[in-house]
Amino acid sequence: MQEDVSRRVFALGLAGATVAVTAFLLGRLHAWPPHEDETLALFVGSKPLGELFSTVLDVRGGAPLHFLLVHLATQVSPTLDAVRLLSVLFAVASIPTAGLLVARLTDRRTALVATLLVAASWVTLFHGIYGRMYSLFLFTSALSFLALLRAAERNSRLSWAAWAIAVYATLASHQYGLFVLAAQVLFAVYLRLRGRASLLPGAVALAAVIAAAVPLWRSSLVLASRFDVGVGGDGTQLGGPLRMLEYLRNAIGDFAAGWTLALVIVCALATLGIVQLWRRRQGTAVLAFLVFAVPAAALAIARASATATLPETRHLIYTLPFFTMLVATGILRLARLAGHAAAPVAAVSAVALAVAAVAWGWHITPTLYRGEPSKRKEAREAAVAWLTATTRPDDVLFGYDPLFLGAREHGGDVGDTVIPRADPKLALRALTDARKPLGRGVWVLDASDGSRIVSNDSSRLVIERRSPGPGFESRAFGPFLIIRTTAPTRTAAAFLHATVLVQRLGLGLYVGNSIVNYETARLALDSLENGS
Protein backbone atom coordinates (compact mmCIF):
# COMPACT_ATOMS: atom_id res chain seq x y z
CA MET A 1 0.00 0.00 0.00
CA GLN A 2 2.99 2.26 0.43
CA GLU A 3 4.03 2.09 -3.23
CA ASP A 4 2.25 4.41 -5.64
CA VAL A 5 0.40 3.05 -8.66
CA SER A 6 2.19 3.06 -12.00
CA ARG A 7 1.73 5.76 -14.60
CA ARG A 8 0.00 3.22 -16.85
CA VAL A 9 -2.56 2.27 -14.21
CA PHE A 10 -3.10 5.93 -13.41
CA ALA A 11 -3.65 6.82 -17.06
CA LEU A 12 -6.07 3.91 -17.52
CA GLY A 13 -7.98 4.94 -14.39
CA LEU A 14 -8.36 8.54 -15.57
CA ALA A 15 -9.38 7.34 -19.03
CA GLY A 16 -11.99 4.99 -17.56
CA ALA A 17 -13.54 7.71 -15.40
CA THR A 18 -13.51 10.14 -18.32
CA VAL A 19 -15.18 7.67 -20.69
CA ALA A 20 -17.83 6.81 -18.09
CA VAL A 21 -18.73 10.46 -17.52
CA THR A 22 -18.79 11.10 -21.27
CA ALA A 23 -21.13 8.18 -21.87
CA PHE A 24 -23.48 9.25 -19.07
CA LEU A 25 -23.66 12.90 -20.13
CA LEU A 26 -24.21 12.18 -23.81
CA GLY A 27 -26.79 9.54 -22.95
CA ARG A 28 -28.72 11.94 -20.69
CA LEU A 29 -28.33 15.07 -22.83
CA HIS A 30 -32.08 15.35 -23.42
CA ALA A 31 -33.28 13.76 -20.17
CA TRP A 32 -33.35 16.99 -18.18
CA PRO A 33 -36.03 19.36 -19.53
CA PRO A 34 -34.95 22.82 -20.75
CA HIS A 35 -34.49 25.39 -17.99
CA GLU A 36 -34.93 29.16 -18.09
CA ASP A 37 -31.27 29.83 -17.24
CA GLU A 38 -30.23 27.81 -20.27
CA THR A 39 -32.69 29.79 -22.36
CA LEU A 40 -31.14 33.01 -21.04
CA ALA A 41 -27.67 31.81 -22.00
CA LEU A 42 -28.81 31.02 -25.54
CA PHE A 43 -30.86 34.19 -26.07
CA VAL A 44 -28.04 36.42 -24.80
CA GLY A 45 -25.27 34.37 -26.38
CA SER A 46 -26.87 34.53 -29.81
CA LYS A 47 -26.74 38.35 -29.88
CA PRO A 48 -24.08 40.13 -31.99
CA LEU A 49 -20.78 40.28 -30.11
CA GLY A 50 -20.96 43.99 -29.32
CA GLU A 51 -24.48 43.71 -27.93
CA LEU A 52 -23.55 40.50 -26.09
CA PHE A 53 -20.65 42.08 -24.20
CA SER A 54 -22.69 45.20 -23.47
CA THR A 55 -25.50 43.08 -22.03
CA VAL A 56 -23.23 40.86 -19.93
CA LEU A 57 -20.70 43.40 -18.71
CA ASP A 58 -22.81 46.56 -18.40
CA VAL A 59 -26.41 45.43 -17.87
CA ARG A 60 -26.61 41.97 -16.30
CA GLY A 61 -23.13 41.70 -14.82
CA GLY A 62 -21.24 38.46 -14.39
CA ALA A 63 -18.52 36.59 -16.25
CA PRO A 64 -18.61 36.68 -20.06
CA LEU A 65 -16.60 33.63 -21.17
CA HIS A 66 -19.51 31.21 -21.21
CA PHE A 67 -21.67 33.65 -23.18
CA LEU A 68 -18.84 34.08 -25.68
CA LEU A 69 -18.53 30.31 -26.09
CA VAL A 70 -22.30 30.03 -26.51
CA HIS A 71 -22.09 32.70 -29.21
CA LEU A 72 -19.47 30.67 -31.05
CA ALA A 73 -21.51 27.49 -30.65
CA THR A 74 -24.65 29.14 -32.00
CA GLN A 75 -22.78 30.03 -35.19
CA VAL A 76 -22.73 26.29 -35.83
CA SER A 77 -26.08 25.33 -34.28
CA PRO A 78 -28.34 27.88 -32.50
CA THR A 79 -29.92 25.21 -30.30
CA LEU A 80 -30.02 24.11 -26.69
CA ASP A 81 -28.11 20.97 -27.69
CA ALA A 82 -25.13 23.13 -28.68
CA VAL A 83 -25.19 24.91 -25.31
CA ARG A 84 -25.44 21.66 -23.38
CA LEU A 85 -22.63 20.09 -25.39
CA LEU A 86 -20.39 22.91 -24.14
CA SER A 87 -21.18 21.82 -20.59
CA VAL A 88 -20.50 18.21 -21.51
CA LEU A 89 -17.17 19.16 -23.07
CA PHE A 90 -15.87 20.99 -20.01
CA ALA A 91 -17.26 18.48 -17.51
CA VAL A 92 -15.47 15.69 -19.38
CA ALA A 93 -12.26 17.74 -19.57
CA SER A 94 -12.51 18.39 -15.82
CA ILE A 95 -12.13 14.71 -14.96
CA PRO A 96 -8.51 14.19 -16.09
CA THR A 97 -7.63 17.76 -15.09
CA ALA A 98 -8.84 17.16 -11.53
CA GLY A 99 -6.97 13.86 -11.47
CA LEU A 100 -3.72 15.45 -12.58
CA LEU A 101 -4.17 18.26 -10.04
CA VAL A 102 -4.65 15.87 -7.12
CA ALA A 103 -1.78 13.69 -8.32
CA ARG A 104 0.52 16.69 -8.31
CA LEU A 105 -0.63 17.65 -4.82
CA THR A 106 -0.50 14.12 -3.36
CA ASP A 107 0.19 10.96 -5.37
CA ARG A 108 -1.36 8.95 -8.18
CA ARG A 109 -3.16 6.49 -5.88
CA THR A 110 -4.93 9.28 -4.01
CA ALA A 111 -5.70 10.97 -7.31
CA LEU A 112 -7.40 7.85 -8.69
CA VAL A 113 -9.73 7.67 -5.69
CA ALA A 114 -10.43 11.42 -5.82
CA THR A 115 -11.12 11.27 -9.57
CA LEU A 116 -13.66 8.48 -9.06
CA LEU A 117 -15.45 10.64 -6.47
CA VAL A 118 -15.39 13.70 -8.74
CA ALA A 119 -16.80 11.65 -11.62
CA ALA A 120 -19.66 10.26 -9.49
CA SER A 121 -20.57 13.55 -7.78
CA TRP A 122 -23.98 15.02 -8.53
CA VAL A 123 -22.31 18.40 -8.89
CA THR A 124 -20.24 17.11 -11.81
CA LEU A 125 -22.97 15.10 -13.52
CA PHE A 126 -25.80 17.62 -13.22
CA HIS A 127 -23.73 20.61 -14.27
CA GLY A 128 -22.21 18.53 -17.03
CA ILE A 129 -25.61 18.70 -18.72
CA TYR A 130 -27.02 21.95 -17.37
CA GLY A 131 -26.25 24.53 -20.05
CA ARG A 132 -24.62 27.19 -17.90
CA MET A 133 -21.05 28.07 -16.89
CA TYR A 134 -20.45 25.76 -13.96
CA SER A 135 -18.62 22.89 -15.67
CA LEU A 136 -16.54 25.54 -17.45
CA PHE A 137 -15.74 27.07 -14.05
CA LEU A 138 -14.74 23.67 -12.67
CA PHE A 139 -12.40 23.05 -15.60
CA THR A 140 -10.75 26.48 -15.74
CA SER A 141 -10.25 26.65 -11.98
CA ALA A 142 -8.67 23.18 -11.79
CA LEU A 143 -6.48 24.07 -14.76
CA SER A 144 -5.40 27.31 -13.09
CA PHE A 145 -4.38 25.48 -9.89
CA LEU A 146 -2.42 23.00 -11.99
CA ALA A 147 -0.74 25.87 -13.84
CA LEU A 148 0.09 27.60 -10.54
CA LEU A 149 1.87 24.52 -9.19
CA ARG A 150 3.83 24.20 -12.41
CA ALA A 151 4.76 27.89 -12.39
CA ALA A 152 5.84 27.77 -8.74
CA GLU A 153 8.08 24.82 -9.56
CA ARG A 154 9.65 26.13 -12.79
CA ASN A 155 9.43 29.86 -12.00
CA SER A 156 9.86 30.82 -15.66
CA ARG A 157 8.15 33.59 -17.61
CA LEU A 158 6.44 31.04 -19.84
CA SER A 159 5.01 29.03 -16.94
CA TRP A 160 3.73 32.16 -15.20
CA ALA A 161 2.23 33.38 -18.47
CA ALA A 162 0.39 30.06 -18.77
CA TRP A 163 -0.91 30.51 -15.22
CA ALA A 164 -2.04 34.06 -16.01
CA ILE A 165 -4.05 32.84 -19.00
CA ALA A 166 -5.63 29.99 -17.01
CA VAL A 167 -6.60 32.14 -14.02
CA TYR A 168 -7.92 34.89 -16.30
CA ALA A 169 -10.15 32.29 -17.96
CA THR A 170 -11.31 31.32 -14.47
CA LEU A 171 -12.18 34.94 -13.64
CA ALA A 172 -14.04 35.21 -16.94
CA SER A 173 -15.97 31.99 -16.21
CA HIS A 174 -17.56 33.03 -12.92
CA GLN A 175 -17.35 35.94 -10.50
CA TYR A 176 -16.24 33.49 -7.78
CA GLY A 177 -13.06 33.13 -9.77
CA LEU A 178 -11.91 35.96 -7.50
CA PHE A 179 -11.88 33.44 -4.64
CA VAL A 180 -9.70 31.15 -6.75
CA LEU A 181 -7.28 33.99 -7.46
CA ALA A 182 -7.18 35.05 -3.80
CA ALA A 183 -6.41 31.51 -2.61
CA GLN A 184 -3.67 31.16 -5.21
CA VAL A 185 -2.06 34.49 -4.32
CA LEU A 186 -2.02 33.58 -0.63
CA PHE A 187 -0.54 30.19 -1.46
CA ALA A 188 2.20 31.84 -3.55
CA VAL A 189 3.03 34.07 -0.57
CA TYR A 190 3.19 30.95 1.63
CA LEU A 191 5.63 29.33 -0.81
CA ARG A 192 7.76 32.48 -0.82
CA LEU A 193 7.87 32.54 2.97
CA ARG A 194 9.01 28.94 2.88
CA GLY A 195 11.74 29.94 0.44
CA ARG A 196 10.31 27.76 -2.33
CA ALA A 197 9.47 30.40 -4.93
CA SER A 198 10.35 33.89 -6.08
CA LEU A 199 7.61 36.49 -6.02
CA LEU A 200 8.88 38.64 -8.90
CA PRO A 201 7.81 36.61 -11.99
CA GLY A 202 4.51 35.73 -10.35
CA ALA A 203 3.93 39.34 -9.29
CA VAL A 204 4.37 40.52 -12.88
CA ALA A 205 1.89 37.90 -14.09
CA LEU A 206 -0.54 38.85 -11.32
CA ALA A 207 -0.33 42.54 -12.23
CA ALA A 208 -1.12 41.67 -15.84
CA VAL A 209 -4.14 39.60 -14.77
CA ILE A 210 -5.49 42.34 -12.51
CA ALA A 211 -5.12 44.97 -15.23
CA ALA A 212 -6.70 42.80 -17.92
CA ALA A 213 -9.58 41.91 -15.60
CA VAL A 214 -10.73 45.50 -15.00
CA PRO A 215 -13.89 44.99 -17.13
CA LEU A 216 -14.61 41.85 -15.11
CA TRP A 217 -14.27 43.70 -11.79
CA ARG A 218 -16.69 46.33 -13.04
CA SER A 219 -19.09 43.64 -14.24
CA SER A 220 -19.00 42.01 -10.80
CA LEU A 221 -20.04 45.31 -9.25
CA VAL A 222 -22.96 45.51 -11.69
CA LEU A 223 -23.99 42.00 -10.65
CA ALA A 224 -23.68 42.89 -6.96
CA SER A 225 -25.90 45.94 -7.46
CA ARG A 226 -28.53 43.71 -9.04
CA PHE A 227 -28.56 41.46 -5.99
CA ASP A 228 -29.40 44.49 -3.88
CA VAL A 229 -32.67 44.97 -5.74
CA GLY A 230 -33.51 41.41 -6.73
CA VAL A 231 -36.50 39.64 -5.25
CA GLY A 232 -35.58 36.10 -6.19
CA GLY A 233 -31.98 35.53 -5.17
CA ASP A 234 -30.44 32.14 -5.83
CA GLY A 235 -29.15 31.65 -2.32
CA THR A 236 -30.48 31.63 1.21
CA GLN A 237 -30.18 34.73 3.34
CA LEU A 238 -27.04 34.83 5.44
CA GLY A 239 -27.72 34.37 9.12
CA GLY A 240 -26.10 33.04 12.24
CA PRO A 241 -23.83 30.04 12.72
CA LEU A 242 -26.70 27.56 12.40
CA ARG A 243 -27.58 28.90 8.96
CA MET A 244 -23.95 28.62 7.90
CA LEU A 245 -23.76 25.05 9.20
CA GLU A 246 -26.93 24.18 7.31
CA TYR A 247 -25.39 25.57 4.14
CA LEU A 248 -22.19 23.60 4.73
CA ARG A 249 -24.20 20.44 5.27
CA ASN A 250 -26.08 20.94 2.00
CA ALA A 251 -22.90 21.68 0.06
CA ILE A 252 -21.10 18.58 1.34
CA GLY A 253 -24.22 16.56 0.61
CA ASP A 254 -24.26 17.73 -3.00
CA PHE A 255 -20.55 16.99 -3.36
CA ALA A 256 -20.93 13.47 -1.96
CA ALA A 257 -24.24 12.21 -0.53
CA GLY A 258 -26.64 14.14 1.69
CA TRP A 259 -27.99 11.41 3.93
CA THR A 260 -26.95 11.85 7.56
CA LEU A 261 -24.90 8.67 7.85
CA ALA A 262 -23.10 9.36 4.57
CA LEU A 263 -22.39 12.94 5.68
CA VAL A 264 -20.91 11.78 8.97
CA ILE A 265 -18.66 9.28 7.19
CA VAL A 266 -17.54 11.74 4.51
CA CYS A 267 -16.84 14.52 7.01
CA ALA A 268 -14.84 12.14 9.21
CA LEU A 269 -12.79 10.99 6.20
CA ALA A 270 -12.16 14.58 5.05
CA THR A 271 -11.06 15.57 8.57
CA LEU A 272 -8.70 12.60 8.73
CA GLY A 273 -7.47 13.56 5.27
CA ILE A 274 -6.52 17.12 6.16
CA VAL A 275 -4.75 15.94 9.32
CA GLN A 276 -2.82 13.35 7.33
CA LEU A 277 -1.84 15.89 4.69
CA TRP A 278 -0.70 18.36 7.32
CA ARG A 279 1.65 15.73 8.70
CA ARG A 280 3.02 14.50 5.36
CA ARG A 281 2.41 17.25 2.77
CA GLN A 282 2.04 20.53 4.59
CA GLY A 283 1.98 22.65 1.44
CA THR A 284 -0.95 20.66 0.05
CA ALA A 285 -2.80 20.99 3.34
CA VAL A 286 -2.24 24.76 3.32
CA LEU A 287 -3.58 25.10 -0.22
CA ALA A 288 -6.64 22.98 0.60
CA PHE A 289 -7.25 25.10 3.70
CA LEU A 290 -7.02 28.33 1.66
CA VAL A 291 -9.40 27.04 -0.99
CA PHE A 292 -12.10 26.64 1.65
CA ALA A 293 -11.08 29.46 3.99
CA VAL A 294 -11.24 32.24 1.40
CA PRO A 295 -14.98 31.85 0.56
CA ALA A 296 -15.71 31.18 4.26
CA ALA A 297 -14.05 34.46 5.21
CA ALA A 298 -15.90 36.29 2.44
CA LEU A 299 -19.22 34.90 3.67
CA ALA A 300 -18.39 35.89 7.24
CA ILE A 301 -17.69 39.47 6.09
CA ALA A 302 -20.83 39.48 3.95
CA ARG A 303 -22.97 38.74 7.01
CA ALA A 304 -22.76 42.45 7.74
CA SER A 305 -24.96 43.06 4.69
CA ALA A 306 -28.67 42.58 5.21
CA THR A 307 -29.15 41.66 1.54
CA ALA A 308 -26.28 39.19 1.25
CA THR A 309 -27.16 35.61 0.38
CA LEU A 310 -25.38 32.33 0.74
CA PRO A 311 -24.08 30.91 -2.52
CA GLU A 312 -25.43 27.59 -3.68
CA THR A 313 -23.25 24.52 -4.09
CA ARG A 314 -22.71 25.16 -7.79
CA HIS A 315 -20.98 28.48 -7.04
CA LEU A 316 -18.30 26.64 -5.09
CA ILE A 317 -17.84 23.86 -7.65
CA TYR A 318 -14.15 24.79 -7.91
CA THR A 319 -13.58 23.31 -4.43
CA LEU A 320 -14.76 19.84 -5.52
CA PRO A 321 -11.31 18.41 -6.49
CA PHE A 322 -9.89 19.53 -3.14
CA PHE A 323 -12.78 18.10 -1.14
CA THR A 324 -12.51 14.73 -2.88
CA MET A 325 -8.73 14.84 -2.33
CA LEU A 326 -9.28 15.12 1.42
CA VAL A 327 -11.82 12.28 1.41
CA ALA A 328 -9.55 10.09 -0.73
CA THR A 329 -6.62 10.72 1.61
CA GLY A 330 -8.79 9.70 4.56
CA ILE A 331 -9.93 6.52 2.80
CA LEU A 332 -6.38 5.44 2.02
CA ARG A 333 -5.18 6.21 5.54
CA LEU A 334 -7.88 4.07 7.12
CA ALA A 335 -7.39 1.30 4.57
CA ARG A 336 -3.76 0.92 5.64
CA LEU A 337 -5.05 -0.45 8.92
CA ALA A 338 -6.19 -3.53 6.98
CA GLY A 339 -2.58 -4.51 6.22
CA HIS A 340 -2.30 -6.76 3.17
CA ALA A 341 -5.98 -6.20 2.37
CA ALA A 342 -5.50 -2.43 2.22
CA ALA A 343 -5.85 -2.14 -1.56
CA PRO A 344 -9.19 -3.99 -1.88
CA VAL A 345 -10.54 -2.26 1.24
CA ALA A 346 -9.69 1.14 -0.26
CA ALA A 347 -11.23 0.18 -3.60
CA VAL A 348 -14.46 -1.09 -2.03
CA SER A 349 -14.73 2.02 0.17
CA ALA A 350 -14.20 4.37 -2.78
CA VAL A 351 -16.74 2.53 -4.94
CA ALA A 352 -19.27 2.54 -2.09
CA LEU A 353 -18.97 6.33 -1.73
CA ALA A 354 -19.25 6.75 -5.50
CA VAL A 355 -22.42 4.63 -5.56
CA ALA A 356 -23.84 6.70 -2.68
CA ALA A 357 -23.08 9.90 -4.63
CA VAL A 358 -24.92 8.60 -7.70
CA ALA A 359 -27.83 7.49 -5.53
CA TRP A 360 -27.98 10.96 -3.98
CA GLY A 361 -28.09 12.53 -7.42
CA TRP A 362 -30.96 10.24 -8.36
CA HIS A 363 -32.71 11.23 -5.12
CA ILE A 364 -32.57 15.01 -5.64
CA THR A 365 -32.90 15.12 -9.45
CA PRO A 366 -34.63 11.90 -10.53
CA THR A 367 -35.53 13.47 -13.88
CA LEU A 368 -31.84 13.59 -14.81
CA TYR A 369 -31.71 9.80 -14.54
CA ARG A 370 -35.25 8.72 -15.46
CA GLY A 371 -35.98 11.44 -17.98
CA GLU A 372 -38.80 13.97 -18.19
CA PRO A 373 -42.25 12.45 -17.60
CA SER A 374 -43.77 11.63 -20.98
CA LYS A 375 -46.96 13.51 -20.12
CA ARG A 376 -45.01 16.69 -19.43
CA LYS A 377 -42.85 16.26 -22.51
CA GLU A 378 -45.88 15.83 -24.76
CA ALA A 379 -47.54 18.90 -23.21
CA ARG A 380 -44.36 20.94 -23.67
CA GLU A 381 -44.13 19.93 -27.33
CA ALA A 382 -47.78 20.88 -27.90
CA ALA A 383 -47.26 24.26 -26.22
CA VAL A 384 -44.16 24.89 -28.33
CA ALA A 385 -46.07 23.99 -31.50
CA TRP A 386 -48.84 26.48 -30.63
CA LEU A 387 -46.35 29.26 -29.88
CA THR A 388 -44.42 28.49 -33.06
CA ALA A 389 -47.56 28.92 -35.15
CA THR A 390 -48.95 32.02 -33.42
CA THR A 391 -46.03 34.11 -32.15
CA ARG A 392 -45.14 37.50 -33.62
CA PRO A 393 -41.70 39.14 -33.79
CA ASP A 394 -42.87 42.15 -31.76
CA ASP A 395 -44.29 40.07 -28.89
CA VAL A 396 -42.91 41.01 -25.47
CA LEU A 397 -41.90 37.86 -23.58
CA PHE A 398 -41.84 37.77 -19.80
CA GLY A 399 -38.88 35.72 -18.57
CA TYR A 400 -36.60 33.39 -20.47
CA ASP A 401 -39.11 30.56 -20.52
CA PRO A 402 -37.93 27.40 -22.30
CA LEU A 403 -41.15 27.34 -24.33
CA PHE A 404 -39.98 30.51 -26.08
CA LEU A 405 -36.70 28.84 -26.92
CA GLY A 406 -38.54 25.79 -28.22
CA ALA A 407 -40.66 27.98 -30.50
CA ARG A 408 -37.54 29.69 -31.82
CA GLU A 409 -35.82 26.35 -32.51
CA HIS A 410 -38.89 25.13 -34.38
CA GLY A 411 -38.89 28.11 -36.73
CA GLY A 412 -41.27 30.43 -34.92
CA ASP A 413 -40.84 34.15 -35.55
CA VAL A 414 -39.91 34.78 -31.92
CA GLY A 415 -38.78 38.31 -31.10
CA ASP A 416 -35.86 39.19 -28.86
CA THR A 417 -37.70 41.51 -26.47
CA VAL A 418 -37.48 39.54 -23.24
CA ILE A 419 -38.28 41.12 -19.87
CA PRO A 420 -36.18 39.49 -17.12
CA ARG A 421 -37.99 38.28 -14.05
CA ALA A 422 -36.86 38.36 -10.39
CA ASP A 423 -35.15 41.74 -10.87
CA PRO A 424 -37.39 44.85 -10.95
CA LYS A 425 -34.53 47.17 -11.94
CA LEU A 426 -33.45 45.01 -14.86
CA ALA A 427 -37.04 44.42 -15.94
CA LEU A 428 -37.76 48.14 -16.01
CA ARG A 429 -34.56 48.85 -17.92
CA ALA A 430 -35.46 46.24 -20.53
CA LEU A 431 -38.91 47.76 -20.95
CA THR A 432 -37.47 51.27 -21.19
CA ASP A 433 -34.94 50.23 -23.84
CA ALA A 434 -37.42 48.18 -25.88
CA ARG A 435 -38.74 49.53 -29.16
CA LYS A 436 -42.09 51.32 -28.77
CA PRO A 437 -44.96 50.76 -29.07
CA LEU A 438 -44.67 47.41 -27.34
CA GLY A 439 -46.32 44.36 -28.87
CA ARG A 440 -48.48 41.76 -27.20
CA GLY A 441 -47.40 40.53 -23.80
CA VAL A 442 -46.77 36.79 -23.41
CA TRP A 443 -46.44 34.89 -20.12
CA VAL A 444 -46.07 31.22 -19.21
CA LEU A 445 -47.30 29.79 -15.92
CA ASP A 446 -45.76 26.38 -15.22
CA ALA A 447 -47.39 24.41 -12.42
CA SER A 448 -44.59 21.80 -12.46
CA ASP A 449 -41.70 24.22 -12.05
CA GLY A 450 -40.35 25.12 -8.62
CA SER A 451 -38.08 27.96 -7.58
CA ARG A 452 -34.81 25.99 -7.49
CA ILE A 453 -32.83 24.71 -10.44
CA VAL A 454 -33.14 21.12 -9.32
CA SER A 455 -36.88 21.34 -8.69
CA ASN A 456 -39.25 19.51 -10.99
CA ASP A 457 -42.55 18.78 -9.32
CA SER A 458 -43.75 16.17 -11.78
CA SER A 459 -46.79 15.50 -9.60
CA ARG A 460 -48.38 18.71 -10.94
CA LEU A 461 -48.81 17.93 -14.61
CA VAL A 462 -52.14 19.67 -15.18
CA ILE A 463 -53.10 23.30 -14.76
CA GLU A 464 -56.56 24.80 -15.04
CA ARG A 465 -57.17 26.97 -18.11
CA ARG A 466 -58.02 30.40 -16.78
CA SER A 467 -57.61 34.00 -17.88
CA PRO A 468 -56.73 37.13 -15.89
CA GLY A 469 -59.69 38.91 -17.47
CA PRO A 470 -60.80 40.76 -20.61
CA GLY A 471 -58.04 41.58 -23.05
CA PHE A 472 -56.24 38.25 -22.52
CA GLU A 473 -56.31 34.88 -24.26
CA SER A 474 -55.04 31.66 -22.70
CA ARG A 475 -54.17 28.09 -23.67
CA ALA A 476 -53.44 25.20 -21.30
CA PHE A 477 -51.10 22.35 -22.19
CA GLY A 478 -50.63 19.94 -19.31
CA PRO A 479 -48.87 21.97 -16.58
CA PHE A 480 -48.30 24.96 -18.90
CA LEU A 481 -50.71 27.87 -19.07
CA ILE A 482 -49.78 30.35 -21.81
CA ILE A 483 -51.37 33.76 -21.43
CA ARG A 484 -51.20 36.50 -24.03
CA THR A 485 -52.81 39.90 -24.48
CA THR A 486 -55.13 40.13 -27.44
CA ALA A 487 -53.78 43.57 -28.38
CA PRO A 488 -50.37 45.25 -28.13
CA THR A 489 -49.52 46.51 -24.64
CA ARG A 490 -47.86 49.61 -26.19
CA THR A 491 -46.34 51.06 -22.98
CA ALA A 492 -44.14 49.78 -20.16
CA ALA A 493 -46.81 50.67 -17.61
CA ALA A 494 -49.47 48.70 -19.46
CA PHE A 495 -47.20 45.68 -19.77
CA LEU A 496 -46.40 45.76 -16.04
CA HIS A 497 -50.08 46.17 -15.12
CA ALA A 498 -50.85 43.11 -17.25
CA THR A 499 -47.99 41.20 -15.62
CA VAL A 500 -49.38 41.93 -12.16
CA LEU A 501 -52.75 40.50 -13.23
CA VAL A 502 -51.17 37.40 -14.76
CA GLN A 503 -48.99 36.66 -11.74
CA ARG A 504 -51.89 37.27 -9.38
CA LEU A 505 -53.69 34.54 -11.30
CA GLY A 506 -50.57 32.39 -10.96
CA LEU A 507 -50.68 32.85 -7.19
CA GLY A 508 -54.25 31.59 -7.19
CA LEU A 509 -53.14 28.54 -9.19
CA TYR A 510 -50.26 27.90 -6.75
CA VAL A 511 -47.52 28.46 -9.32
CA GLY A 512 -44.33 28.83 -7.27
CA ASN A 513 -42.53 31.35 -9.45
CA SER A 514 -45.54 33.68 -9.47
CA ILE A 515 -44.56 34.87 -5.99
CA VAL A 516 -41.29 36.30 -7.28
CA ASN A 517 -42.78 37.42 -10.58
CA TYR A 518 -45.62 39.31 -8.91
CA GLU A 519 -43.16 41.18 -6.70
CA THR A 520 -40.96 41.95 -9.71
CA ALA A 521 -43.83 43.50 -11.65
CA ARG A 522 -45.24 45.37 -8.67
CA LEU A 523 -41.90 46.90 -7.65
CA ALA A 524 -41.03 47.82 -11.24
CA LEU A 525 -44.45 49.43 -11.69
CA ASP A 526 -44.10 51.41 -8.44
CA SER A 527 -40.68 52.62 -9.56
CA LEU A 528 -42.03 53.65 -12.96
CA GLU A 529 -45.03 55.49 -11.53
CA ASN A 530 -42.89 57.25 -8.91
CA GLY A 531 -40.29 58.21 -11.48
CA SER A 532 -37.47 56.62 -9.46
Side-chain angles (χ1 to χ4, degrees):
M1 192 71 175
Q2 297 299 322
E3 293 184 4
D4 202 3
V5 298
S6 67
R7 292 181 182 275
R8 178 181 175 82
V9 171
F10 179 61
L12 288 174
L14 290 191
T18 303
V19 169
V21 170
T22 303
F24 176 85
L25 296 180
L26 291 179
R28 310 311 296 158
L29 190 67
H30 302 109
W32 184 256
H35 189 271
E36 64 174 319
D37 286 351
E38 297 175 303
T39 303
L40 185 154
L42 210 153
F43 269 65
V44 174
S46 61
K47 295 175 180 288
L49 277 179
E51 188 177 351
L52 183 156
F53 282 115
S54 176
T55 298
V56 175
L57 297 176
D58 299 330
V59 178
R60 298 196 63 87
L65 182 56
H66 183 258
F67 288 102
L68 176 60
L69 293 173
V70 169
H71 177 82
L72 296 176
T74 58
Q75 304 308 301
V76 178
S77 175
T79 63
L80 179 59
D81 279 358
V83 177
R84 287 188 168 180
L85 284 172
L86 282 176
S87 293
V88 171
L89 172 65
F90 290 110
V92 168
S94 296
I95 302 304
T97 305
L100 292 172
L101 172 61
V102 176
R104 190 157 194 137
L105 288 169
T106 56
D107 53 56
R108 292 190 290 272
R109 188 184 300 275
T110 305
L112 278 180
V113 176
T115 302
L116 173 63
L117 299 180
V118 169
S121 174
W122 171 83
V123 172
T124 301
L125 297 179
F126 179 78
H127 292 291
I129 288 178
Y130 182 51
R132 290 294 274 132
M133 78 288 287
Y134 299 103
S135 66
L136 171 66
F137 186 33
L138 174 61
F139 170 71
T140 55
S141 59
L143 188 64
S144 71
F145 279 109
L146 199 55
L148 174 69
L149 297 175
R150 184 174 181 270
E153 178 182 297
R154 300 192 177 188
N155 209 30
S156 65
R157 291 181 180 178
L158 185 60
S159 62
W160 280 112
W163 168 77
I165 293 171
V167 80
Y168 186 82
T170 304
L171 293 169
S173 298
H174 196 276
Q175 60 271 18
Y176 276 28
L178 178 60
F179 293 163
V180 175
L181 178 61
Q184 293 181 357
V185 169
L186 292 173
F187 183 65
V189 172
Y190 162 80
L191 292 178
R192 179 66 184 91
L193 293 175
R194 294 293 299 270
R196 295 170 56 187
S198 170
L199 283 181
L200 183 58
V204 172
L206 176 61
V209 168
I210 292 175
V214 167
L216 302 179
W217 309 135
R218 181 181 179 280
S219 178
S220 295
L221 293 175
V222 171
L223 185 64
S225 70
R226 284 184 52 215
F227 286 158
D228 287 339
V229 297
V231 295
D234 289 333
T236 304
Q237 285 295 123
L238 282 167
L242 291 180
R243 179 77 73 178
M244 295 287 287
L245 287 175
E246 180 185 357
Y247 166 70
L248 181 61
R249 181 191 188 283
N250 292 336
I252 294 175
D254 288 343
F255 280 167
W259 294 291
T260 302
L261 178 60
L263 278 172
V264 171
I265 293 173
V266 167
C267 289
L269 289 170
T271 302
L272 177 61
I274 191 70
V275 171
Q276 183 72 5
L277 288 174
W278 180 259
R279 291 173 177 172
R280 298 178 57 197
R281 300 176 184 270
Q282 192 175 101
T284 297
V286 168
L287 179 57
F289 170 77
L290 291 172
V291 165
F292 295 103
V294 167
L299 291 176
I301 295 171
R303 286 181 60 192
S305 170
T307 60
T309 59
L310 285 166
E312 297 211 6
T313 305
R314 63 185 185 272
H315 299 127
L316 299 179
I317 194 171
Y318 71 92
T319 66
L320 179 61
F322 294 90
F323 179 77
T324 58
M325 177 184 71
L326 298 181
V327 174
T329 302
I331 288 174
L332 294 176
R333 177 64 184 89
L334 277 184
R336 283 206 292 272
L337 299 177
H340 294 299
V345 167
V348 170
S349 301
V351 170
L353 285 182
V355 170
V358 173
W360 178 252
W362 193 306
H363 173 68
I364 60 175
T365 53
T367 303
L368 179 63
Y369 299 83
R370 292 197 307 241
E372 183 180 13
S374 58
K375 191 172 182 180
R376 187 179 191 275
K377 184 178 180 181
E378 291 167 3
R380 178 164 56 82
E381 291 172 349
V384 165
W386 185 77
L387 279 172
T388 301
T390 62
T391 191
R392 297 177 187 170
D394 64 339
D395 284 345
V396 182
L397 315 177
F398 184 78
Y400 291 91
D401 194 275
L403 296 185
F404 302 145
L405 173 60
R408 173 188 278 191
E409 290 186 353
H410 283 75
D413 199 0
V414 179
D416 57 2
T417 304
V418 183
I419 308 306
R421 68 179 199 89
D423 189 330
K425 183 177 179 181
L426 203 57
L428 188 54
R429 178 168 180 171
L431 284 167
T432 303
D433 294 343
R435 182 179 300 177
K436 306 297 189 302
L438 297 175
R440 301 177 302 177
V442 187
W443 302 263
V444 175
L445 301 179
D446 181 0
S448 65
D449 189 24
S451 59
R452 284 173 55 94
I453 284 178
V454 298
S455 297
N456 187 9
D457 185 4
S458 57
S459 63
R460 296 193 63 197
L461 294 178
V462 178
I463 192 170
E464 181 182 353
R465 180 181 176 180
R466 291 173 57 184
S467 171
F472 294 90
E473 60 176 331
S474 63
R475 296 289 188 280
F477 304 89
F480 307 105
L481 179 62
I482 303 175
I483 300 175
R484 189 165 60 195
T485 58
T486 56
T489 53
R490 303 189 68 82
T491 67
F495 179 85
L496 291 172
H497 274 296
T499 302
V500 168
L501 294 176
V502 170
Q503 300 308 325
R504 191 177 291 161
L505 172 63
L507 292 173
L509 294 172
Y510 302 103
V511 175
N513 282 333
S514 286
I515 300 172
V516 169
N517 296 340
Y518 175 80
E519 286 300 310
T520 298
R522 187 183 60 79
L523 291 173
L525 186 58
D526 289 346
S527 180
L528 181 66
E529 291 177 342
N530 294 330
S532 57

